[in-house]
Every structure is written in structure tokens, then in C-alpha cells.
Amino acid sequence: PTATSPAFTYQSGYQSQSIVGPGRGYWLKFGSSQSVDLDGGVIALDTVAVTQGWNIVGSISQPVLAASIVSEPGGLVTSSFFGYSLAYSPADTLHPGYGYWVKVSGPGSLYLEAPPGPVPAAGRIRIDPAIGVPPDR
């Protein structure tokens, strides 16, 4: 309620959202730095649908190492995950309550679980830091 903008998702451009939910990441603007309480149950694992190109994804109730994320189809190539705090910065861990930009080589799903279960390396995403940085706001 203290945001100075609507919540936006990103799918080939910014799209305003009136309802927010788990799994997706959202872009909101605030007038100043502040803490915002998020209510809800514990989410131990989640499946996040992604499209080819840039996506904003959320996280689960525990930190998730980016290198442990599994994809369907297995081995999707992604950029680094990027958080934002006055500027984009690569993140090796996705933290609860935050959204992260990631560019994906094709459509599919990302499976977030902490701690991750045993998964063959072929099922994990392949992070290519050379892919670039998220689009401007």
C-alpha cells in the first residue's frame, strides 16, 4: 500500500498487475527505502513458468542457490540472476521476499527448492554470465 506505482511483471514489456502471488517477481517503486511485511504460508518449493527472454521471478521461503535451480526442459541456459537496489547486481542466491531478473533461452519452468534434492547436472540450468543485464525500467 505504500508503493508509489502499481506492481509490474515483465513479459515482452512491463504489465501492470492488481494482484500479486508467489513465484513471480514484481517491480514496484517506493518514495523511500522501507521494509514491507509479506503475509502468507511457508513455501518450501515452487515451479515458476518462464518465457524466452527476460523474466522477473520470485523465490520461496528459504534462500535458493541459483546454481541449484532445475529447469524443465533440463539444462535451460539463463543469464545470471539480477537483483535491484539503485542498480542491477548479479545474485548467486535468491532470497525470500525479493524478485530477480533472469533471461532464459527458451520457454519452460524453473524449480526452486531449498535445500535442493539430488538432481543430475543435466537437469540444472546453465548460467551464462555473458548474456547481459536486464532492460531499463
Side-chain angles (χ1 to χ4, degrees):
T2 58
T4 60
S5 74
F8 290 94
T9 56
Y10 188 88
Q11 193 170 23
S12 301
Y14 289 101
Q15 298 176 7
S16 178
Q17 302 293 309
S18 58
I19 298 175
V20 298
R24 301 220 44 119
Y26 299 91
W27 187 271
L28 289 100
K29 186 174 181 179
F30 291 85
S32 62
S33 180
Q34 57 191 276
S35 294
V36 177
D37 290 329
L38 302 173
D39 293 327
V42 172
I43 300 173
L45 57 101
D46 200 4
T47 302
V48 180
V50 291
T51 59
Q52 182 175 354
W54 287 103
N55 297 264
I56 306 176
V57 299
S59 189
I60 58 175
S61 299
Q62 295 179 326
V64 176
L65 293 174
S68 73
I69 295 174
V70 175
S71 66
E72 177 61 43
L76 280 177
V77 177
T78 72
S79 66
S80 295
F81 287 79
F82 291 90
Y84 187 86
S85 181
L86 302 178
Y88 294 113
S89 59
D92 60 2
T93 303
L94 282 61
H95 293 277
Y98 290 88
Y100 297 88
W101 284 95
V102 64
K103 189 173 187 179
V104 181
S105 62
S109 296
L110 302 180
Y111 299 108
L112 310 177
E113 182 179 10
V119 175
R124 290 196 177 98
I125 60 173
R126 292 185 306 128
I127 299 172
D128 181 354
I131 288 179
V133 295
D136 289 330
R137 347 179 265 293

mmCIF file of all heavy atoms in Angstrom, residues 66-105:
data_model
loop_
_atom_site.group_PDB
_atom_site.id
_atom_site.type_symbol
_atom_site.label_atom_id
_atom_site.label_comp_id
_atom_site.label_asym_id
_atom_site.label_seq_id
_atom_site.Cartn_x
_atom_site.Cartn_y
_atom_site.Cartn_z
ATOM 1 N N ALA A 66 21.287 -20.049 -6.839
ATOM 2 C CA ALA A 66 20.937 -20.005 -8.264
ATOM 3 C C ALA A 66 21.473 -21.221 -9.008
ATOM 4 O O ALA A 66 20.800 -21.781 -9.865
ATOM 5 C CB ALA A 66 21.463 -18.713 -8.889
ATOM 6 N N ALA A 67 22.673 -21.655 -8.663
ATOM 7 C CA ALA A 67 23.295 -22.797 -9.348
ATOM 8 C C ALA A 67 22.576 -24.114 -9.080
ATOM 9 O O ALA A 67 22.818 -25.104 -9.772
ATOM 10 C CB ALA A 67 24.761 -22.907 -8.939
ATOM 11 N N SER A 68 21.665 -24.145 -8.092
ATOM 12 C CA SER A 68 20.939 -25.382 -7.784
ATOM 13 C C SER A 68 19.578 -25.444 -8.458
ATOM 14 O O SER A 68 18.866 -26.436 -8.325
ATOM 15 C CB SER A 68 20.764 -25.530 -6.269
ATOM 16 O OG SER A 68 19.786 -24.620 -5.786
ATOM 17 N N ILE A 69 19.192 -24.403 -9.193
ATOM 18 C CA ILE A 69 17.863 -24.360 -9.809
ATOM 19 C C ILE A 69 17.795 -25.341 -10.975
ATOM 20 O O ILE A 69 18.696 -25.416 -11.805
ATOM 21 C CB ILE A 69 17.520 -22.922 -10.256
ATOM 22 C CG1 ILE A 69 17.418 -22.018 -9.019
ATOM 23 C CG2 ILE A 69 16.223 -22.900 -11.068
ATOM 24 C CD1 ILE A 69 17.235 -20.555 -9.347
ATOM 25 N N VAL A 70 16.711 -26.085 -11.007
ATOM 26 C CA VAL A 70 16.462 -27.102 -12.026
ATOM 27 C C VAL A 70 15.442 -26.545 -13.007
ATOM 28 O O VAL A 70 14.573 -25.755 -12.635
ATOM 29 C CB VAL A 70 15.930 -28.389 -11.355
ATOM 30 C CG1 VAL A 70 15.538 -29.427 -12.386
ATOM 31 C CG2 VAL A 70 16.965 -28.935 -10.388
ATOM 32 N N SER A 71 15.560 -26.953 -14.267
ATOM 33 C CA SER A 71 14.615 -26.471 -15.281
ATOM 34 C C SER A 71 13.944 -27.622 -16.005
ATOM 35 O O SER A 71 14.433 -28.740 -16.040
ATOM 36 C CB SER A 71 15.337 -25.581 -16.299
ATOM 37 O OG SER A 71 16.278 -26.331 -17.050
ATOM 38 N N GLU A 72 12.804 -27.311 -16.578
ATOM 39 C CA GLU A 72 12.098 -28.214 -17.499
ATOM 40 C C GLU A 72 11.800 -27.401 -18.734
ATOM 41 O O GLU A 72 11.088 -26.397 -18.618
ATOM 42 C CB GLU A 72 10.821 -28.737 -16.848
ATOM 43 C CG GLU A 72 9.995 -29.627 -17.752
ATOM 44 C CD GLU A 72 10.732 -30.879 -18.213
ATOM 45 O OE1 GLU A 72 11.403 -31.528 -17.419
ATOM 46 O OE2 GLU A 72 10.628 -31.175 -19.420
ATOM 47 N N PRO A 73 12.339 -27.700 -19.887
ATOM 48 C CA PRO A 73 13.251 -28.815 -20.123
ATOM 49 C C PRO A 73 14.578 -28.609 -19.402
ATOM 50 O O PRO A 73 14.978 -27.486 -19.108
ATOM 51 C CB PRO A 73 13.441 -28.804 -21.650
ATOM 52 C CG PRO A 73 13.168 -27.401 -22.060
ATOM 53 C CD PRO A 73 12.144 -26.874 -21.077
ATOM 54 N N GLY A 74 15.251 -29.717 -19.118
ATOM 55 C CA GLY A 74 16.518 -29.676 -18.393
ATOM 56 C C GLY A 74 17.573 -28.888 -19.151
ATOM 57 O O GLY A 74 17.616 -28.868 -20.382
ATOM 58 N N GLY A 75 18.425 -28.203 -18.391
ATOM 59 C CA GLY A 75 19.565 -27.506 -18.972
ATOM 60 C C GLY A 75 19.257 -26.207 -19.674
ATOM 61 O O GLY A 75 20.049 -25.758 -20.508
ATOM 62 N N LEU A 76 18.119 -25.548 -19.369
ATOM 63 C CA LEU A 76 17.871 -24.231 -19.976
ATOM 64 C C LEU A 76 19.063 -23.325 -19.688
ATOM 65 O O LEU A 76 19.627 -23.354 -18.600
ATOM 66 C CB LEU A 76 16.616 -23.578 -19.399
ATOM 67 C CG LEU A 76 15.264 -24.022 -19.939
ATOM 68 C CD1 LEU A 76 14.136 -23.323 -19.182
ATOM 69 C CD2 LEU A 76 15.140 -23.730 -21.423
ATOM 70 N N VAL A 77 19.429 -22.526 -20.676
ATOM 71 C CA VAL A 77 20.519 -21.561 -20.492
ATOM 72 C C VAL A 77 19.898 -20.260 -19.995
ATOM 73 O O VAL A 77 18.907 -19.780 -20.550
ATOM 74 C CB VAL A 77 21.289 -21.325 -21.810
ATOM 75 C CG1 VAL A 77 22.367 -20.261 -21.621
ATOM 76 C CG2 VAL A 77 21.898 -22.628 -22.309
ATOM 77 N N THR A 78 20.477 -19.702 -18.927
ATOM 78 C CA THR A 78 19.973 -18.452 -18.375
ATOM 79 C C THR A 78 21.122 -17.461 -18.240
ATOM 80 O O THR A 78 22.292 -17.837 -18.238
ATOM 81 C CB THR A 78 19.352 -18.635 -16.974
ATOM 82 O OG1 THR A 78 20.394 -18.871 -16.020
ATOM 83 C CG2 THR A 78 18.346 -19.772 -16.941
ATOM 84 N N SER A 79 20.753 -16.219 -18.087
ATOM 85 C CA SER A 79 21.711 -15.200 -17.668
ATOM 86 C C SER A 79 21.982 -15.427 -16.186
ATOM 87 O O SER A 79 21.376 -16.299 -15.556
ATOM 88 C CB SER A 79 21.111 -13.805 -17.867
ATOM 89 O OG SER A 79 20.011 -13.612 -16.989
ATOM 90 N N SER A 80 22.813 -14.595 -15.615
ATOM 91 C CA SER A 80 22.879 -14.523 -14.160
ATOM 92 C C SER A 80 21.521 -14.035 -13.672
ATOM 93 O O SER A 80 20.743 -13.463 -14.436
ATOM 94 C CB SER A 80 23.955 -13.518 -13.728
ATOM 95 O OG SER A 80 25.229 -13.953 -14.123
ATOM 96 N N PHE A 81 21.214 -14.255 -12.412
ATOM 97 C CA PHE A 81 20.030 -13.665 -11.794
ATOM 98 C C PHE A 81 20.451 -12.292 -11.284
ATOM 99 O O PHE A 81 21.558 -12.134 -10.766
ATOM 100 C CB PHE A 81 19.531 -14.537 -10.641
ATOM 101 C CG PHE A 81 18.862 -15.792 -11.122
ATOM 102 C CD1 PHE A 81 19.618 -16.876 -11.547
ATOM 103 C CD2 PHE A 81 17.480 -15.897 -11.161
ATOM 104 C CE1 PHE A 81 19.013 -18.042 -11.995
ATOM 105 C CE2 PHE A 81 16.860 -17.048 -11.613
ATOM 106 C CZ PHE A 81 17.636 -18.128 -12.033
ATOM 107 N N PHE A 82 19.571 -11.293 -11.443
ATOM 108 C CA PHE A 82 19.902 -9.938 -11.054
ATOM 109 C C PHE A 82 18.888 -9.400 -10.052
ATOM 110 O O PHE A 82 17.690 -9.440 -10.306
ATOM 111 C CB PHE A 82 19.909 -8.991 -12.264
ATOM 112 C CG PHE A 82 21.030 -9.242 -13.219
ATOM 113 C CD1 PHE A 82 20.878 -10.127 -14.276
ATOM 114 C CD2 PHE A 82 22.257 -8.595 -13.063
ATOM 115 C CE1 PHE A 82 21.913 -10.363 -15.170
ATOM 116 C CE2 PHE A 82 23.291 -8.827 -13.944
ATOM 117 C CZ PHE A 82 23.127 -9.711 -15.005
ATOM 118 N N GLY A 83 19.391 -8.878 -8.945
ATOM 119 C CA GLY A 83 18.567 -8.127 -8.010
ATOM 120 C C GLY A 83 18.693 -6.654 -8.357
ATOM 121 O O GLY A 83 19.495 -6.273 -9.216
ATOM 122 N N TYR A 84 17.919 -5.820 -7.689
ATOM 123 C CA TYR A 84 17.989 -4.389 -7.960
ATOM 124 C C TYR A 84 17.914 -3.619 -6.652
ATOM 125 O O TYR A 84 17.016 -3.819 -5.844
ATOM 126 C CB TYR A 84 16.846 -3.930 -8.871
ATOM 127 C CG TYR A 84 16.994 -2.495 -9.299
ATOM 128 C CD1 TYR A 84 17.745 -2.172 -10.413
ATOM 129 C CD2 TYR A 84 16.410 -1.470 -8.566
ATOM 130 C CE1 TYR A 84 17.905 -0.851 -10.808
ATOM 131 C CE2 TYR A 84 16.571 -0.144 -8.951
ATOM 132 C CZ TYR A 84 17.317 0.155 -10.068
ATOM 133 O OH TYR A 84 17.485 1.466 -10.442
ATOM 134 N N SER A 85 18.883 -2.724 -6.450
ATOM 135 C CA SER A 85 18.874 -1.781 -5.341
ATOM 136 C C SER A 85 19.688 -0.581 -5.806
ATOM 137 O O SER A 85 20.913 -0.579 -5.688
ATOM 138 C CB SER A 85 19.473 -2.397 -4.081
ATOM 139 O OG SER A 85 19.438 -1.465 -3.020
ATOM 140 N N LEU A 86 19.023 0.360 -6.442
ATOM 141 C CA LEU A 86 19.617 1.533 -7.087
ATOM 142 C C LEU A 86 20.371 1.184 -8.357
ATOM 143 O O LEU A 86 20.651 2.050 -9.168
ATOM 144 C CB LEU A 86 20.526 2.310 -6.128
ATOM 145 C CG LEU A 86 19.853 2.805 -4.847
ATOM 146 C CD1 LEU A 86 20.869 3.522 -3.962
ATOM 147 C CD2 LEU A 86 18.682 3.719 -5.152
ATOM 148 N N ALA A 87 20.736 -0.075 -8.542
ATOM 149 C CA ALA A 87 21.382 -0.570 -9.764
ATOM 150 C C ALA A 87 21.226 -2.088 -9.785
ATOM 151 O O ALA A 87 20.985 -2.710 -8.749
ATOM 152 C CB ALA A 87 22.863 -0.186 -9.784
ATOM 153 N N TYR A 88 21.353 -2.688 -10.965
ATOM 154 C CA TYR A 88 21.304 -4.142 -11.072
ATOM 155 C C TYR A 88 22.588 -4.737 -10.516
ATOM 156 O O TYR A 88 23.674 -4.194 -10.712
ATOM 157 C CB TYR A 88 21.171 -4.576 -12.534
ATOM 158 C CG TYR A 88 19.860 -4.179 -13.159
ATOM 159 C CD1 TYR A 88 19.812 -3.227 -14.174
ATOM 160 C CD2 TYR A 88 18.667 -4.751 -12.740
ATOM 161 C CE1 TYR A 88 18.608 -2.860 -14.752
ATOM 162 C CE2 TYR A 88 17.465 -4.389 -13.316
ATOM 163 C CZ TYR A 88 17.448 -3.452 -14.319
ATOM 164 O OH TYR A 88 16.261 -3.095 -14.880
ATOM 165 N N SER A 89 22.457 -5.873 -9.821
ATOM 166 C CA SER A 89 23.645 -6.594 -9.361
ATOM 167 C C SER A 89 23.373 -8.092 -9.441
ATOM 168 O O SER A 89 22.274 -8.550 -9.094
ATOM 169 C CB SER A 89 24.021 -6.180 -7.941
ATOM 170 O OG SER A 89 22.965 -6.445 -7.054
ATOM 171 N N PRO A 90 24.363 -8.856 -9.940
ATOM 172 C CA PRO A 90 24.180 -10.300 -10.031
ATOM 173 C C PRO A 90 23.974 -10.909 -8.641
ATOM 174 O O PRO A 90 24.554 -10.451 -7.664
ATOM 175 C CB PRO A 90 25.490 -10.807 -10.648
ATOM 176 C CG PRO A 90 26.176 -9.603 -11.185
ATOM 177 C CD PRO A 90 25.666 -8.425 -10.430
ATOM 178 N N ALA A 91 23.138 -11.922 -8.573
ATOM 179 C CA ALA A 91 22.852 -12.597 -7.307
ATOM 180 C C ALA A 91 23.116 -14.092 -7.462
ATOM 181 O O ALA A 91 22.588 -14.712 -8.383
ATOM 182 C CB ALA A 91 21.398 -12.364 -6.909
ATOM 183 N N ASP A 92 23.928 -14.649 -6.570
ATOM 184 C CA ASP A 92 24.146 -16.089 -6.618
ATOM 185 C C ASP A 92 23.127 -16.836 -5.763
ATOM 186 O O ASP A 92 23.026 -18.048 -5.819
ATOM 187 C CB ASP A 92 25.573 -16.453 -6.213
ATOM 188 C CG ASP A 92 25.930 -16.009 -4.804
ATOM 189 O OD1 ASP A 92 25.069 -15.445 -4.102
ATOM 190 O OD2 ASP A 92 27.075 -16.245 -4.403
ATOM 191 N N THR A 93 22.339 -16.090 -4.969
ATOM 192 C CA THR A 93 21.309 -16.675 -4.117
ATOM 193 C C THR A 93 20.030 -15.855 -4.256
ATOM 194 O O THR A 93 20.068 -14.627 -4.231
ATOM 195 C CB THR A 93 21.770 -16.666 -2.635
ATOM 196 O OG1 THR A 93 23.009 -17.373 -2.537
ATOM 197 C CG2 THR A 93 20.739 -17.318 -1.741
ATOM 198 N N LEU A 94 18.895 -16.549 -4.396
ATOM 199 C CA LEU A 94 17.590 -15.890 -4.437
ATOM 200 C C LEU A 94 17.027 -15.903 -3.024
ATOM 201 O O LEU A 94 16.921 -16.967 -2.401
ATOM 202 C CB LEU A 94 16.646 -16.620 -5.390
ATOM 203 C CG LEU A 94 16.833 -16.367 -6.885
ATOM 204 C CD1 LEU A 94 18.195 -16.779 -7.382
ATOM 205 C CD2 LEU A 94 15.747 -17.071 -7.672
ATOM 206 N N HIS A 95 16.684 -14.728 -2.497
ATOM 207 C CA HIS A 95 16.219 -14.597 -1.118
ATOM 208 C C HIS A 95 14.709 -14.386 -1.062
ATOM 209 O O HIS A 95 14.133 -13.763 -1.953
ATOM 210 C CB HIS A 95 16.936 -13.439 -0.433
ATOM 211 C CG HIS A 95 18.396 -13.690 -0.239
ATOM 212 N ND1 HIS A 95 18.888 -14.418 0.814
ATOM 213 C CD2 HIS A 95 19.472 -13.345 -0.989
ATOM 214 C CE1 HIS A 95 20.202 -14.496 0.726
ATOM 215 N NE2 HIS A 95 20.581 -13.865 -0.373
ATOM 216 N N PRO A 96 14.074 -14.869 0.016
ATOM 217 C CA PRO A 96 12.627 -14.694 0.171
ATOM 218 C C PRO A 96 12.241 -13.211 0.159
ATOM 219 O O PRO A 96 12.948 -12.368 0.710
ATOM 220 C CB PRO A 96 12.334 -15.293 1.554
ATOM 221 C CG PRO A 96 13.506 -16.144 1.878
ATOM 222 C CD PRO A 96 14.676 -15.582 1.134
ATOM 223 N N GLY A 97 11.129 -12.902 -0.491
ATOM 224 C CA GLY A 97 10.609 -11.540 -0.495
ATOM 225 C C GLY A 97 11.201 -10.643 -1.561
ATOM 226 O O GLY A 97 10.836 -9.477 -1.640
ATOM 227 N N TYR A 98 12.095 -11.162 -2.375
ATOM 228 C CA TYR A 98 12.725 -10.355 -3.419
ATOM 229 C C TYR A 98 12.406 -10.935 -4.789
ATOM 230 O O TYR A 98 12.142 -12.123 -4.932
ATOM 231 C CB TYR A 98 14.253 -10.316 -3.237
ATOM 232 C CG TYR A 98 14.658 -9.516 -2.029
ATOM 233 C CD1 TYR A 98 14.755 -10.110 -0.784
ATOM 234 C CD2 TYR A 98 14.916 -8.158 -2.130
ATOM 235 C CE1 TYR A 98 15.110 -9.382 0.344
ATOM 236 C CE2 TYR A 98 15.279 -7.414 -1.014
ATOM 237 C CZ TYR A 98 15.374 -8.040 0.213
ATOM 238 O OH TYR A 98 15.720 -7.302 1.310
ATOM 239 N N GLY A 99 12.461 -10.090 -5.806
ATOM 240 C CA GLY A 99 12.297 -10.506 -7.184
ATOM 241 C C GLY A 99 13.631 -10.412 -7.894
ATOM 242 O O GLY A 99 14.483 -9.596 -7.530
ATOM 243 N N TYR A 100 13.821 -11.245 -8.906
ATOM 244 C CA TYR A 100 15.084 -11.304 -9.644
ATOM 245 C C TYR A 100 14.816 -11.373 -11.143
ATOM 246 O O TYR A 100 13.951 -12.117 -11.591
ATOM 247 C CB TYR A 100 15.898 -12.538 -9.211
ATOM 248 C CG TYR A 100 16.284 -12.463 -7.767
ATOM 249 C CD1 TYR A 100 15.442 -12.963 -6.772
ATOM 250 C CD2 TYR A 100 17.471 -11.858 -7.377
ATOM 251 C CE1 TYR A 100 15.778 -12.866 -5.435
ATOM 252 C CE2 TYR A 100 17.818 -11.757 -6.041
ATOM 253 C CZ TYR A 100 16.969 -12.265 -5.082
ATOM 254 O OH TYR A 100 17.312 -12.153 -3.753
ATOM 255 N N TRP A 101 15.592 -10.596 -11.872
ATOM 256 C CA TRP A 101 15.559 -10.654 -13.323
ATOM 257 C C TRP A 101 16.390 -11.843 -13.774
ATOM 258 O O TRP A 101 17.469 -12.103 -13.233
ATOM 259 C CB TRP A 101 16.210 -9.412 -13.908
ATOM 260 C CG TRP A 101 15.393 -8.174 -13.852
ATOM 261 C CD1 TRP A 101 15.412 -7.202 -12.905
ATOM 262 C CD2 TRP A 101 14.444 -7.756 -14.819
ATOM 263 N NE1 TRP A 101 14.533 -6.203 -13.223
ATOM 264 C CE2 TRP A 101 13.928 -6.523 -14.402
ATOM 265 C CE3 TRP A 101 13.980 -8.314 -16.026
ATOM 266 C CZ2 TRP A 101 12.976 -5.827 -15.116
ATOM 267 C CZ3 TRP A 101 13.032 -7.619 -16.737
ATOM 268 C CH2 TRP A 101 12.537 -6.397 -16.288
ATOM 269 N N VAL A 102 15.922 -12.560 -14.799
ATOM 270 C CA VAL A 102 16.714 -13.619 -15.423
ATOM 271 C C VAL A 102 16.272 -13.740 -16.884
ATOM 272 O O VAL A 102 15.090 -13.664 -17.198
ATOM 273 C CB VAL A 102 16.571 -14.971 -14.678
ATOM 274 C CG1 VAL A 102 15.145 -15.518 -14.734
ATOM 275 C CG2 VAL A 102 17.586 -15.987 -15.197
ATOM 276 N N LYS A 103 17.244 -13.862 -17.764
ATOM 277 C CA LYS A 103 16.952 -14.078 -19.187
ATOM 278 C C LYS A 103 17.095 -15.566 -19.459
ATOM 279 O O LYS A 103 18.086 -16.188 -19.071
ATOM 280 C CB LYS A 103 17.920 -13.277 -20.063
ATOM 281 C CG LYS A 103 17.533 -13.298 -21.533
ATOM 282 C CD LYS A 103 18.418 -12.359 -22.339
ATOM 283 C CE LYS A 103 17.923 -12.249 -23.770
ATOM 284 N NZ LYS A 103 18.769 -11.318 -24.550
ATOM 285 N N VAL A 104 16.094 -16.134 -20.141
ATOM 286 C CA VAL A 104 16.038 -17.578 -20.360
ATOM 287 C C VAL A 104 16.065 -17.859 -21.859
ATOM 288 O O VAL A 104 15.456 -17.142 -22.648
ATOM 289 C CB VAL A 104 14.745 -18.157 -19.715
ATOM 290 C CG1 VAL A 104 14.666 -19.651 -19.889
ATOM 291 C CG2 VAL A 104 14.686 -17.788 -18.237
ATOM 292 N N SER A 105 16.783 -18.943 -22.241
ATOM 293 C CA SER A 105 16.975 -19.276 -23.654
ATOM 294 C C SER A 105 15.711 -19.783 -24.339
ATOM 295 O O SER A 105 15.629 -19.769 -25.563
ATOM 296 C CB SER A 105 18.081 -20.327 -23.794
ATOM 297 O OG SER A 105 17.721 -21.528 -23.122
#
